[in-house]
Structure formats: C-alpha cells, structure tokens
Amino acid sequence: MKKGIHPENYRLVAFKDMSNDDVFLTKSTAVTNETLEVDGVEYPLVKMEISRTSHPYYTGKSKLVDTAGRIDKFKTKYAKFKK
C-alpha cells in the first residue's frame, strides 16, 4: 500500500439516528464537535436523520410521508391521461 494516503484520525465514532435514538459505534474519520457517552466512554458524535434501524427498506415498514400534497398534485396533473 502507498504510504501517506490514509487518514490519521481514524477512530471509533458514535452515530446516532435522530428518528429513533438508536446509537451504534463504528470506525470513522468524520469530523464533529459533539460527543456522546456510551457505556462510560466518551466518543465523537455524528447525528443522522435515517439509518439501518429506521429506513423502511431494512425495517420492512413502509411509511408514506406526503409533504405539501405532492401526491395530490401528481394525481390531478396526470388524471387527464387516465382512460
């Protein structure tokens, strides 16, 4: 392997899913100013909106989120093509 191309700050980081408060540890070089204590040890914290524990593909639970009536707009726009 080439020397000097790999990051130096590779360490354990806590990733927190903000939708269900799930926390998991993995190695990362992500830059963050926040920390979180897990099992008495303090780790850098990266907040996420969605992860494997909340994503519908992995959980098998589909959730329809319609913001600003997008589905209704789509249906009215393409209703004229309906036979």
mmCIF file of all heavy atoms in Angstrom, residues 13-65:
data_model
loop_
_atom_site.group_PDB
_atom_site.id
_atom_site.type_symbol
_atom_site.label_atom_id
_atom_site.label_comp_id
_atom_site.label_asym_id
_atom_site.label_seq_id
_atom_site.Cartn_x
_atom_site.Cartn_y
_atom_site.Cartn_z
ATOM 1 N N VAL A 13 -16.343 6.181 16.444
ATOM 2 C CA VAL A 13 -17.271 7.304 16.452
ATOM 3 C C VAL A 13 -18.674 6.755 16.733
ATOM 4 O O VAL A 13 -19.042 5.695 16.238
ATOM 5 C CB VAL A 13 -17.249 8.040 15.093
ATOM 6 C CG1 VAL A 13 -18.287 9.143 15.044
ATOM 7 C CG2 VAL A 13 -15.878 8.606 14.806
ATOM 8 N N ALA A 14 -19.450 7.486 17.525
ATOM 9 C CA ALA A 14 -20.841 7.119 17.795
ATOM 10 C C ALA A 14 -21.733 7.797 16.765
ATOM 11 O O ALA A 14 -21.670 9.005 16.579
ATOM 12 C CB ALA A 14 -21.242 7.554 19.198
ATOM 13 N N PHE A 15 -22.555 7.008 16.071
ATOM 14 C CA PHE A 15 -23.533 7.527 15.125
ATOM 15 C C PHE A 15 -24.904 7.379 15.761
ATOM 16 O O PHE A 15 -25.274 6.288 16.197
ATOM 17 C CB PHE A 15 -23.475 6.752 13.808
ATOM 18 C CG PHE A 15 -22.280 7.100 12.968
ATOM 19 C CD1 PHE A 15 -21.076 6.460 13.166
ATOM 20 C CD2 PHE A 15 -22.368 8.062 11.985
ATOM 21 C CE1 PHE A 15 -19.969 6.772 12.403
ATOM 22 C CE2 PHE A 15 -21.277 8.382 11.214
ATOM 23 C CZ PHE A 15 -20.072 7.736 11.419
ATOM 24 N N LYS A 16 -25.673 8.474 15.811
ATOM 25 C CA LYS A 16 -26.989 8.459 16.457
ATOM 26 C C LYS A 16 -28.072 8.763 15.434
ATOM 27 O O LYS A 16 -28.030 9.786 14.762
ATOM 28 C CB LYS A 16 -27.037 9.482 17.589
ATOM 29 C CG LYS A 16 -28.353 9.473 18.340
ATOM 30 C CD LYS A 16 -28.310 10.415 19.519
ATOM 31 C CE LYS A 16 -29.615 10.342 20.291
ATOM 32 N NZ LYS A 16 -29.594 11.239 21.435
ATOM 33 N N ASP A 17 -29.033 7.845 15.328
ATOM 34 C CA ASP A 17 -30.191 8.027 14.465
ATOM 35 C C ASP A 17 -31.176 8.907 15.228
ATOM 36 O O ASP A 17 -31.718 8.499 16.249
ATOM 37 C CB ASP A 17 -30.810 6.672 14.133
ATOM 38 C CG ASP A 17 -31.938 6.776 13.138
ATOM 39 O OD1 ASP A 17 -32.533 7.862 13.010
ATOM 40 O OD2 ASP A 17 -32.232 5.760 12.488
ATOM 41 N N MET A 18 -31.428 10.107 14.743
ATOM 42 C CA MET A 18 -32.265 11.058 15.462
ATOM 43 C C MET A 18 -33.755 10.700 15.403
ATOM 44 O O MET A 18 -34.527 11.182 16.208
ATOM 45 C CB MET A 18 -32.041 12.474 14.917
ATOM 46 C CG MET A 18 -30.606 12.949 15.065
ATOM 47 S SD MET A 18 -29.954 12.800 16.722
ATOM 48 C CE MET A 18 -30.868 14.052 17.564
ATOM 49 N N SER A 19 -34.157 9.838 14.472
ATOM 50 C CA SER A 19 -35.570 9.491 14.375
ATOM 51 C C SER A 19 -35.993 8.458 15.414
ATOM 52 O O SER A 19 -37.150 8.407 15.803
ATOM 53 C CB SER A 19 -35.904 8.986 12.976
ATOM 54 O OG SER A 19 -35.212 7.793 12.701
ATOM 55 N N ASN A 20 -35.061 7.605 15.874
ATOM 56 C CA ASN A 20 -35.425 6.601 16.877
ATOM 57 C C ASN A 20 -34.395 6.480 18.007
ATOM 58 O O ASN A 20 -34.454 5.565 18.801
ATOM 59 C CB ASN A 20 -35.642 5.235 16.227
ATOM 60 C CG ASN A 20 -34.394 4.682 15.587
ATOM 61 O OD1 ASN A 20 -33.327 5.261 15.664
ATOM 62 N ND2 ASN A 20 -34.531 3.550 14.938
ATOM 63 N N ASP A 21 -33.446 7.389 18.077
ATOM 64 C CA ASP A 21 -32.426 7.458 19.134
ATOM 65 C C ASP A 21 -31.537 6.218 19.228
ATOM 66 O O ASP A 21 -30.963 5.942 20.271
ATOM 67 C CB ASP A 21 -33.058 7.744 20.498
ATOM 68 C CG ASP A 21 -33.621 9.156 20.568
ATOM 69 O OD1 ASP A 21 -33.075 10.033 19.868
ATOM 70 O OD2 ASP A 21 -34.586 9.376 21.318
ATOM 71 N N ASP A 22 -31.414 5.458 18.142
ATOM 72 C CA ASP A 22 -30.509 4.310 18.113
ATOM 73 C C ASP A 22 -29.074 4.813 17.966
ATOM 74 O O ASP A 22 -28.819 5.742 17.201
ATOM 75 C CB ASP A 22 -30.865 3.390 16.947
ATOM 76 C CG ASP A 22 -29.985 2.165 16.910
ATOM 77 O OD1 ASP A 22 -29.893 1.489 17.946
ATOM 78 O OD2 ASP A 22 -29.383 1.894 15.854
ATOM 79 N N VAL A 23 -28.157 4.225 18.710
ATOM 80 C CA VAL A 23 -26.740 4.608 18.662
ATOM 81 C C VAL A 23 -25.913 3.383 18.326
ATOM 82 O O VAL A 23 -26.123 2.314 18.888
ATOM 83 C CB VAL A 23 -26.271 5.197 20.012
ATOM 84 C CG1 VAL A 23 -24.789 5.518 19.975
ATOM 85 C CG2 VAL A 23 -27.078 6.429 20.367
ATOM 86 N N PHE A 24 -24.977 3.542 17.378
ATOM 87 C CA PHE A 24 -24.046 2.455 17.106
ATOM 88 C C PHE A 24 -22.651 3.029 16.917
ATOM 89 O O PHE A 24 -22.477 4.180 16.541
ATOM 90 C CB PHE A 24 -24.480 1.618 15.894
ATOM 91 C CG PHE A 24 -24.562 2.370 14.600
ATOM 92 C CD1 PHE A 24 -23.501 2.392 13.725
ATOM 93 C CD2 PHE A 24 -25.726 3.033 14.248
ATOM 94 C CE1 PHE A 24 -23.577 3.070 12.526
ATOM 95 C CE2 PHE A 24 -25.816 3.708 13.050
ATOM 96 C CZ PHE A 24 -24.740 3.728 12.189
ATOM 97 N N LEU A 25 -21.660 2.212 17.240
ATOM 98 C CA LEU A 25 -20.259 2.623 17.151
ATOM 99 C C LEU A 25 -19.610 1.968 15.950
ATOM 100 O O LEU A 25 -19.816 0.785 15.683
ATOM 101 C CB LEU A 25 -19.503 2.210 18.405
ATOM 102 C CG LEU A 25 -19.979 2.816 19.721
ATOM 103 C CD1 LEU A 25 -19.240 2.173 20.879
ATOM 104 C CD2 LEU A 25 -19.774 4.305 19.729
ATOM 105 N N THR A 26 -18.805 2.740 15.248
ATOM 106 C CA THR A 26 -18.014 2.215 14.148
ATOM 107 C C THR A 26 -16.820 3.132 13.954
ATOM 108 O O THR A 26 -16.799 4.255 14.448
ATOM 109 C CB THR A 26 -18.845 2.099 12.857
ATOM 110 O OG1 THR A 26 -18.079 1.428 11.868
ATOM 111 C CG2 THR A 26 -19.257 3.457 12.338
ATOM 112 N N LYS A 27 -15.833 2.662 13.239
ATOM 113 C CA LYS A 27 -14.661 3.490 12.988
ATOM 114 C C LYS A 27 -14.945 4.450 11.849
ATOM 115 O O LYS A 27 -15.581 4.092 10.866
ATOM 116 C CB LYS A 27 -13.455 2.620 12.659
ATOM 117 C CG LYS A 27 -12.944 1.860 13.855
ATOM 118 C CD LYS A 27 -11.624 1.223 13.560
ATOM 119 C CE LYS A 27 -11.041 0.625 14.825
ATOM 120 N NZ LYS A 27 -9.702 0.108 14.606
ATOM 121 N N SER A 28 -14.473 5.685 12.001
ATOM 122 C CA SER A 28 -14.738 6.710 11.009
ATOM 123 C C SER A 28 -13.713 7.838 11.132
ATOM 124 O O SER A 28 -13.034 7.959 12.149
ATOM 125 C CB SER A 28 -16.143 7.280 11.203
ATOM 126 O OG SER A 28 -16.384 8.323 10.298
ATOM 127 N N THR A 29 -13.660 8.661 10.098
ATOM 128 C CA THR A 29 -12.842 9.867 10.125
ATOM 129 C C THR A 29 -13.723 11.105 10.112
ATOM 130 O O THR A 29 -13.230 12.205 9.902
ATOM 131 C CB THR A 29 -11.891 9.917 8.912
ATOM 132 O OG1 THR A 29 -12.671 9.922 7.717
ATOM 133 C CG2 THR A 29 -10.923 8.765 8.914
ATOM 134 N N ALA A 30 -15.028 10.936 10.347
ATOM 135 C CA ALA A 30 -15.975 12.047 10.318
ATOM 136 C C ALA A 30 -15.583 13.107 11.343
ATOM 137 O O ALA A 30 -15.257 12.795 12.481
ATOM 138 C CB ALA A 30 -17.381 11.549 10.593
ATOM 139 N N VAL A 31 -15.651 14.362 10.919
ATOM 140 C CA VAL A 31 -15.290 15.484 11.789
ATOM 141 C C VAL A 31 -16.541 15.957 12.516
ATOM 142 O O VAL A 31 -17.583 16.186 11.902
ATOM 143 C CB VAL A 31 -14.703 16.638 10.956
ATOM 144 C CG1 VAL A 31 -14.364 17.816 11.843
ATOM 145 C CG2 VAL A 31 -13.473 16.160 10.204
ATOM 146 N N THR A 32 -16.453 16.083 13.836
ATOM 147 C CA THR A 32 -17.577 16.547 14.639
ATOM 148 C C THR A 32 -17.072 17.234 15.901
ATOM 149 O O THR A 32 -15.969 16.963 16.363
ATOM 150 C CB THR A 32 -18.510 15.377 15.010
ATOM 151 O OG1 THR A 32 -19.600 15.886 15.760
ATOM 152 C CG2 THR A 32 -17.795 14.318 15.793
ATOM 153 N N ASN A 33 -17.899 18.142 16.414
ATOM 154 C CA ASN A 33 -17.546 18.848 17.648
ATOM 155 C C ASN A 33 -18.303 18.308 18.850
ATOM 156 O O ASN A 33 -18.000 18.660 19.981
ATOM 157 C CB ASN A 33 -17.846 20.343 17.504
ATOM 158 C CG ASN A 33 -16.963 20.987 16.460
ATOM 159 O OD1 ASN A 33 -15.834 20.581 16.258
ATOM 160 N ND2 ASN A 33 -17.497 21.978 15.780
ATOM 161 N N GLU A 34 -19.307 17.462 18.608
ATOM 162 C CA GLU A 34 -20.130 16.927 19.689
ATOM 163 C C GLU A 34 -19.602 15.576 20.153
ATOM 164 O O GLU A 34 -18.947 14.868 19.395
ATOM 165 C CB GLU A 34 -21.572 16.780 19.223
ATOM 166 C CG GLU A 34 -22.210 18.096 18.847
ATOM 167 C CD GLU A 34 -23.632 17.914 18.401
ATOM 168 O OE1 GLU A 34 -24.482 17.689 19.292
ATOM 169 O OE2 GLU A 34 -23.867 17.965 17.200
ATOM 170 N N THR A 35 -19.922 15.233 21.403
ATOM 171 C CA THR A 35 -19.523 13.936 21.948
ATOM 172 C C THR A 35 -20.724 13.282 22.614
ATOM 173 O O THR A 35 -21.707 13.948 22.945
ATOM 174 C CB THR A 35 -18.389 14.076 22.983
ATOM 175 O OG1 THR A 35 -18.838 14.906 24.050
ATOM 176 C CG2 THR A 35 -17.132 14.640 22.358
ATOM 177 N N LEU A 36 -20.627 11.971 22.801
ATOM 178 C CA LEU A 36 -21.683 11.199 23.449
ATOM 179 C C LEU A 36 -21.028 10.119 24.291
ATOM 180 O O LEU A 36 -20.065 9.483 23.852
ATOM 181 C CB LEU A 36 -22.601 10.552 22.395
ATOM 182 C CG LEU A 36 -23.717 9.671 22.920
ATOM 183 C CD1 LEU A 36 -24.777 10.533 23.603
ATOM 184 C CD2 LEU A 36 -24.338 8.888 21.782
ATOM 185 N N GLU A 37 -21.555 9.917 25.494
ATOM 186 C CA GLU A 37 -21.012 8.881 26.375
ATOM 187 C C GLU A 37 -21.789 7.582 26.158
ATOM 188 O O GLU A 37 -23.008 7.533 26.277
ATOM 189 C CB GLU A 37 -21.122 9.320 27.830
ATOM 190 C CG GLU A 37 -20.400 8.387 28.763
ATOM 191 C CD GLU A 37 -20.337 8.927 30.174
ATOM 192 O OE1 GLU A 37 -20.052 10.117 30.336
ATOM 193 O OE2 GLU A 37 -20.580 8.135 31.097
ATOM 194 N N VAL A 38 -21.066 6.517 25.832
ATOM 195 C CA VAL A 38 -21.651 5.200 25.624
ATOM 196 C C VAL A 38 -20.901 4.221 26.517
ATOM 197 O O VAL A 38 -19.687 4.060 26.380
ATOM 198 C CB VAL A 38 -21.549 4.762 24.141
ATOM 199 C CG1 VAL A 38 -22.118 3.374 23.947
ATOM 200 C CG2 VAL A 38 -22.231 5.763 23.234
ATOM 201 N N ASP A 39 -21.618 3.582 27.427
ATOM 202 C CA ASP A 39 -21.035 2.615 28.361
ATOM 203 C C ASP A 39 -19.851 3.190 29.124
ATOM 204 O O ASP A 39 -18.837 2.521 29.343
ATOM 205 C CB ASP A 39 -20.615 1.339 27.626
ATOM 206 C CG ASP A 39 -21.791 0.620 26.995
ATOM 207 O OD1 ASP A 39 -22.901 0.714 27.549
ATOM 208 O OD2 ASP A 39 -21.589 -0.038 25.948
ATOM 209 N N GLY A 40 -19.962 4.442 29.533
ATOM 210 C CA GLY A 40 -18.936 5.077 30.336
ATOM 211 C C GLY A 40 -17.747 5.617 29.567
ATOM 212 O O GLY A 40 -16.820 6.143 30.157
ATOM 213 N N VAL A 41 -17.765 5.497 28.251
ATOM 214 C CA VAL A 41 -16.672 6.002 27.408
ATOM 215 C C VAL A 41 -17.231 7.099 26.512
ATOM 216 O O VAL A 41 -18.311 6.961 25.941
ATOM 217 C CB VAL A 41 -16.062 4.872 26.545
ATOM 218 C CG1 VAL A 41 -14.933 5.402 25.691
ATOM 219 C CG2 VAL A 41 -15.592 3.734 27.417
ATOM 220 N N GLU A 42 -16.494 8.192 26.374
ATOM 221 C CA GLU A 42 -16.950 9.309 25.554
ATOM 222 C C GLU A 42 -16.413 9.174 24.126
ATOM 223 O O GLU A 42 -15.219 8.959 23.925
ATOM 224 C CB GLU A 42 -16.479 10.625 26.169
ATOM 225 C CG GLU A 42 -17.219 11.824 25.639
ATOM 226 C CD GLU A 42 -16.959 13.052 26.469
ATOM 227 O OE1 GLU A 42 -17.386 13.081 27.639
ATOM 228 O OE2 GLU A 42 -16.328 13.972 25.931
ATOM 229 N N TYR A 43 -17.323 9.289 23.147
ATOM 230 C CA TYR A 43 -16.983 9.155 21.727
ATOM 231 C C TYR A 43 -17.432 10.402 20.969
ATOM 232 O O TYR A 43 -18.410 11.046 21.366
ATOM 233 C CB TYR A 43 -17.698 7.944 21.106
ATOM 234 C CG TYR A 43 -17.299 6.620 21.687
ATOM 235 C CD1 TYR A 43 -18.096 5.978 22.628
ATOM 236 C CD2 TYR A 43 -16.124 5.997 21.295
ATOM 237 C CE1 TYR A 43 -17.746 4.759 23.156
ATOM 238 C CE2 TYR A 43 -15.757 4.774 21.827
ATOM 239 C CZ TYR A 43 -16.567 4.159 22.753
ATOM 240 O OH TYR A 43 -16.204 2.952 23.274
ATOM 241 N N PRO A 44 -16.760 10.733 19.857
ATOM 242 C CA PRO A 44 -17.274 11.798 18.990
ATOM 243 C C PRO A 44 -18.647 11.376 18.463
ATOM 244 O O PRO A 44 -18.884 10.195 18.215
ATOM 245 C CB PRO A 44 -16.254 11.867 17.850
ATOM 246 C CG PRO A 44 -15.036 11.186 18.354
ATOM 247 C CD PRO A 44 -15.494 10.195 19.362
ATOM 248 N N LEU A 45 -19.569 12.333 18.296
ATOM 249 C CA LEU A 45 -20.946 12.031 17.907
ATOM 250 C C LEU A 45 -21.261 12.599 16.524
ATOM 251 O O LEU A 45 -20.994 13.762 16.251
ATOM 252 C CB LEU A 45 -21.922 12.628 18.919
ATOM 253 C CG LEU A 45 -23.406 12.573 18.573
ATOM 254 C CD1 LEU A 45 -23.878 11.118 18.506
ATOM 255 C CD2 LEU A 45 -24.217 13.370 19.567
ATOM 256 N N VAL A 46 -21.860 11.752 15.664
ATOM 257 C CA VAL A 46 -22.367 12.176 14.367
ATOM 258 C C VAL A 46 -23.860 11.883 14.377
ATOM 259 O O VAL A 46 -24.275 10.749 14.607
ATOM 260 C CB VAL A 46 -21.680 11.425 13.209
ATOM 261 C CG1 VAL A 46 -22.316 11.788 11.885
ATOM 262 C CG2 VAL A 46 -20.196 11.730 13.190
ATOM 263 N N LYS A 47 -24.682 12.925 14.146
ATOM 264 C CA LYS A 47 -26.133 12.759 14.134
ATOM 265 C C LYS A 47 -26.600 12.491 12.707
ATOM 266 O O LYS A 47 -26.150 13.137 11.766
ATOM 267 C CB LYS A 47 -26.810 14.018 14.669
ATOM 268 C CG LYS A 47 -26.531 14.268 16.128
ATOM 269 C CD LYS A 47 -27.206 15.532 16.598
ATOM 270 C CE LYS A 47 -26.927 15.792 18.063
ATOM 271 N NZ LYS A 47 -27.534 17.059 18.506
ATOM 272 N N MET A 48 -27.529 11.515 12.580
ATOM 273 C CA MET A 48 -28.064 11.149 11.268
ATOM 274 C C MET A 48 -29.581 11.232 11.304
ATOM 275 O O MET A 48 -30.195 11.025 12.341
ATOM 276 C CB MET A 48 -27.661 9.718 10.903
ATOM 277 C CG MET A 48 -26.184 9.469 10.924
ATOM 278 S SD MET A 48 -25.765 7.785 10.452
ATOM 279 C CE MET A 48 -26.843 6.809 11.441
ATOM 280 N N GLU A 49 -30.186 11.495 10.157
ATOM 281 C CA GLU A 49 -31.636 11.538 10.070
ATOM 282 C C GLU A 49 -32.230 10.146 9.907
ATOM 283 O O GLU A 49 -33.339 9.891 10.337
ATOM 284 C CB GLU A 49 -32.069 12.413 8.888
ATOM 285 C CG GLU A 49 -31.702 13.867 9.057
ATOM 286 C CD GLU A 49 -32.397 14.505 10.251
ATOM 287 O OE1 GLU A 49 -33.581 14.205 10.485
ATOM 288 O OE2 GLU A 49 -31.743 15.282 10.952
ATOM 289 N N ILE A 50 -31.507 9.246 9.251
ATOM 290 C CA ILE A 50 -32.032 7.908 8.980
ATOM 291 C C ILE A 50 -30.870 6.918 8.972
ATOM 292 O O ILE A 50 -29.761 7.264 8.572
ATOM 293 C CB ILE A 50 -32.814 7.892 7.658
ATOM 294 C CG1 ILE A 50 -33.650 6.645 7.530
ATOM 295 C CG2 ILE A 50 -31.896 8.082 6.478
ATOM 296 C CD1 ILE A 50 -34.709 6.748 6.470
ATOM 297 N N SER A 51 -31.123 5.713 9.457
ATOM 298 C CA SER A 51 -30.087 4.683 9.475
ATOM 299 C C SER A 51 -30.725 3.333 9.186
ATOM 300 O O SER A 51 -31.911 3.245 8.887
ATOM 301 C CB SER A 51 -29.381 4.643 10.839
ATOM 302 O OG SER A 51 -30.245 4.095 11.811
ATOM 303 N N ARG A 52 -29.975 2.283 9.341
ATOM 304 C CA ARG A 52 -30.481 0.943 9.065
ATOM 305 C C ARG A 52 -31.604 0.545 10.015
ATOM 306 O O ARG A 52 -32.411 -0.321 9.707
ATOM 307 C CB ARG A 52 -29.352 -0.076 9.141
ATOM 308 C CG ARG A 52 -28.685 -0.114 10.514
ATOM 309 C CD ARG A 52 -27.571 -1.133 10.571
ATOM 310 N NE ARG A 52 -26.673 -1.010 11.673
ATOM 311 C CZ ARG A 52 -26.976 -1.003 12.958
ATOM 312 N NH1 ARG A 52 -28.205 -1.077 13.322
ATOM 313 N NH2 ARG A 52 -26.065 -0.904 13.888
ATOM 314 N N THR A 53 -31.704 1.168 11.168
ATOM 315 C CA THR A 53 -32.749 0.816 12.124
ATOM 316 C C THR A 53 -34.045 1.587 11.903
ATOM 317 O O THR A 53 -35.060 1.245 12.512
ATOM 318 C CB THR A 53 -32.275 1.062 13.568
ATOM 319 O OG1 THR A 53 -31.956 2.438 13.722
ATOM 320 C CG2 THR A 53 -31.085 0.200 13.903
ATOM 321 N N SER A 54 -34.034 2.596 11.032
ATOM 322 C CA SER A 54 -35.255 3.358 10.789
ATOM 323 C C SER A 54 -35.638 3.428 9.315
ATOM 324 O O SER A 54 -36.727 3.879 8.993
ATOM 325 C CB SER A 54 -35.106 4.775 11.344
ATOM 326 O OG SER A 54 -34.073 5.461 10.675
ATOM 327 N N HIS A 55 -34.774 2.984 8.413
ATOM 328 C CA HIS A 55 -35.070 3.047 6.981
ATOM 329 C C HIS A 55 -36.110 1.984 6.619
ATOM 330 O O HIS A 55 -35.969 0.825 7.002
ATOM 331 C CB HIS A 55 -33.794 2.823 6.169
ATOM 332 C CG HIS A 55 -33.954 3.186 4.737
ATOM 333 N ND1 HIS A 55 -34.585 2.371 3.838
ATOM 334 C CD2 HIS A 55 -33.569 4.290 4.057
ATOM 335 C CE1 HIS A 55 -34.577 2.948 2.650
ATOM 336 N NE2 HIS A 55 -33.976 4.111 2.761
ATOM 337 N N PRO A 56 -37.156 2.359 5.872
ATOM 338 C CA PRO A 56 -38.215 1.397 5.529
ATOM 339 C C PRO A 56 -37.719 0.164 4.786
ATOM 340 O O PRO A 56 -38.274 -0.919 4.945
ATOM 341 C CB PRO A 56 -39.164 2.208 4.644
ATOM 342 C CG PRO A 56 -38.893 3.622 4.975
ATOM 343 C CD PRO A 56 -37.461 3.690 5.399
ATOM 344 N N TYR A 57 -36.686 0.280 3.989
ATOM 345 C CA TYR A 57 -36.173 -0.875 3.241
ATOM 346 C C TYR A 57 -35.660 -1.952 4.189
ATOM 347 O O TYR A 57 -35.888 -3.133 3.974
ATOM 348 C CB TYR A 57 -35.058 -0.442 2.296
ATOM 349 C CG TYR A 57 -34.481 -1.587 1.509
ATOM 350 C CD1 TYR A 57 -35.121 -2.067 0.383
ATOM 351 C CD2 TYR A 57 -33.294 -2.205 1.905
ATOM 352 C CE1 TYR A 57 -34.609 -3.126 -0.343
ATOM 353 C CE2 TYR A 57 -32.769 -3.268 1.190
ATOM 354 C CZ TYR A 57 -33.429 -3.715 0.066
ATOM 355 O OH TYR A 57 -32.919 -4.769 -0.641
ATOM 356 N N TYR A 58 -34.972 -1.549 5.249
ATOM 357 C CA TYR A 58 -34.386 -2.509 6.181
ATOM 358 C C TYR A 58 -35.380 -2.968 7.253
ATOM 359 O O TYR A 58 -35.293 -4.075 7.756
ATOM 360 C CB TYR A 58 -33.144 -1.927 6.850
ATOM 361 C CG TYR A 58 -32.049 -1.652 5.865
ATOM 362 C CD1 TYR A 58 -31.754 -0.356 5.464
ATOM 363 C CD2 TYR A 58 -31.320 -2.686 5.304
ATOM 364 C CE1 TYR A 58 -30.751 -0.105 4.544
ATOM 365 C CE2 TYR A 58 -30.328 -2.447 4.376
ATOM 366 C CZ TYR A 58 -30.046 -1.158 4.005
ATOM 367 O OH TYR A 58 -29.072 -0.912 3.088
ATOM 368 N N THR A 59 -36.323 -2.101 7.622
ATOM 369 C CA THR A 59 -37.263 -2.457 8.683
ATOM 370 C C THR A 59 -38.480 -3.201 8.154
ATOM 371 O O THR A 59 -39.166 -3.872 8.923
ATOM 372 C CB THR A 59 -37.746 -1.196 9.427
ATOM 373 O OG1 THR A 59 -38.425 -0.340 8.507
ATOM 374 C CG2 THR A 59 -36.598 -0.473 10.078
ATOM 375 N N GLY A 60 -38.771 -3.043 6.867
ATOM 376 C CA GLY A 60 -39.946 -3.697 6.282
ATOM 377 C C GLY A 60 -41.233 -2.943 6.553
ATOM 378 O O GLY A 60 -42.310 -3.393 6.196
ATOM 379 N N LYS A 61 -41.134 -1.793 7.149
ATOM 380 C CA LYS A 61 -42.306 -0.971 7.443
ATOM 381 C C LYS A 61 -42.271 0.262 6.541
ATOM 382 O O LYS A 61 -41.424 1.117 6.703
ATOM 383 C CB LYS A 61 -42.303 -0.515 8.896
ATOM 384 C CG LYS A 61 -42.347 -1.646 9.888
ATOM 385 C CD LYS A 61 -42.226 -1.108 11.291
ATOM 386 C CE LYS A 61 -42.104 -2.240 12.283
ATOM 387 N NZ LYS A 61 -41.812 -1.773 13.626
ATOM 388 N N SER A 62 -43.182 0.308 5.587
ATOM 389 C CA SER A 62 -43.213 1.478 4.719
ATOM 390 C C SER A 62 -44.021 2.573 5.389
ATOM 391 O O SER A 62 -45.016 2.326 6.055
ATOM 392 C CB SER A 62 -43.800 1.138 3.359
ATOM 393 O OG SER A 62 -45.135 0.750 3.502
ATOM 394 N N LYS A 63 -43.572 3.788 5.210
ATOM 395 C CA LYS A 63 -44.226 4.924 5.822
ATOM 396 C C LYS A 63 -44.378 5.983 4.752
ATOM 397 O O LYS A 63 -43.399 6.396 4.124
ATOM 398 C CB LYS A 63 -43.359 5.443 6.975
ATOM 399 C CG LYS A 63 -43.960 6.580 7.754
ATOM 400 C CD LYS A 63 -43.166 6.811 9.015
ATOM 401 C CE LYS A 63 -42.545 8.179 8.984
ATOM 402 N NZ LYS A 63 -41.759 8.472 10.157
ATOM 403 N N LEU A 64 -45.599 6.408 4.512
ATOM 404 C CA LEU A 64 -45.870 7.398 3.491
ATOM 405 C C LEU A 64 -45.842 8.777 4.128
ATOM 406 O O LEU A 64 -46.631 9.067 5.029
ATOM 407 C CB LEU A 64 -47.226 7.139 2.848
ATOM 408 C CG LEU A 64 -47.644 8.105 1.762
ATOM 409 C CD1 LEU A 64 -46.650 8.029 0.594
ATOM 410 C CD2 LEU A 64 -49.030 7.787 1.301
ATOM 411 N N VAL A 65 -44.940 9.613 3.660
ATOM 412 C CA VAL A 65 -44.847 10.975 4.144
ATOM 413 C C VAL A 65 -45.163 11.881 2.975
ATOM 414 O O VAL A 65 -44.417 11.948 2.008
ATOM 415 C CB VAL A 65 -43.438 11.281 4.706
ATOM 416 C CG1 VAL A 65 -43.350 12.719 5.149
ATOM 417 C CG2 VAL A 65 -43.108 10.343 5.837
#
